Amino acid sequence: MRGEQGMDAERGRRWRVPPGQVAVKCAGAAAVTALVVLYSHDPQFMFLAIAAAVGLNALALRDLVAPVRLAADGAGLTVVTGYAGRRRVPWDEVSVIRVDERRRLLLHTRMLEIETTDDLHLLSAFDLGEDVHDVADELYRIRSRTRG
């Protein structure tokens, strides 16, 4: 899935959590919440089900409240911070944009790192709905248009 295509060069680009991923989280949250009700007679299972339901509901709610994780335009970036807050970062405060790749055991992770003068923002392909290399390339293009 590509970043939102309807945005032109002046308005920039936005990257969001894919709707299918949000639907899966919502369905999982609903299923685990239903298990809490169905197995209320088993205290051990209920404790685990409540913990899972709270976690899944929190993740699903974040995706519904703040689906756009990153936006970029000629003036700078808007990134999601905390649970669902947003922070506007002008381009002159962006120090580095890079992709961090790590291999551990059988896992291969890629994270988009956006380093600012006072913070580090990490985003995955699950946050962006697109490969992090493609997003980094697009950010470089948008940023270069503002400096050129």
Side-chain angles (χ1 to χ4, degrees):
M1 178 178 190
R2 302 284 305 166
E4 294 190 8
Q5 297 297 321
M7 305 188 80
D8 58 23
E10 291 82 35
R11 291 188 344 186
R13 291 279 308 270
R14 298 187 309 172
W15 291 271
R16 63 184 305 127
V17 177
Q21 185 176 318
V22 177
V24 168
K25 285 181 187 176
C26 289
V32 173
T33 302
L35 288 176
V36 170
V37 174
L38 292 173
Y39 288 92
S40 59
H41 62 278
D42 184 350
Q44 289 176 336
F45 183 85
M46 188 148 151
F47 174 76
L48 293 173
I50 288 172
V54 168
L56 282 171
N57 278 295
L59 289 172
L61 182 62
R62 180 181 189 223
D63 289 351
L64 293 170
V65 172
V68 176
R69 296 290 205 262
L70 175 65
D73 59 28
L77 301 171
T78 302
V79 293
V80 169
T81 61
Y83 183 72
R86 288 180 177 79
R87 178 175 175 217
R88 184 71 180 160
V89 182
W91 283 118
D92 61 348
E93 290 183 23
V94 176
S95 308
V96 179
I97 298 169
R98 67 179 160 252
V99 174
D100 180 52
E101 294 191 50
R102 296 181 188 257
R103 293 182 194 273
R104 291 191 187 126
L105 301 176
L106 299 174
L107 299 176
H108 184 197
T109 60
R110 290 185 186 105
M111 299 292 288
L112 175 65
E113 294 184 356
I114 301 171
E115 188 176 333
T116 64
T117 53
D118 62 348
D119 211 348
L120 176 65
H121 303 279
L122 302 170
L123 300 158
S124 71
F126 292 109
D127 292 315
L128 302 170
E130 192 171 323
D131 183 79
V132 294
H133 288 286
D134 296 338
V135 175
D137 291 343
E138 185 68 19
L139 291 175
Y140 291 134
R141 281 191 288 279
I142 294 169
R143 186 179 190 183
S144 69
R145 279 187 233 136
T146 64
R147 292 182 174 187

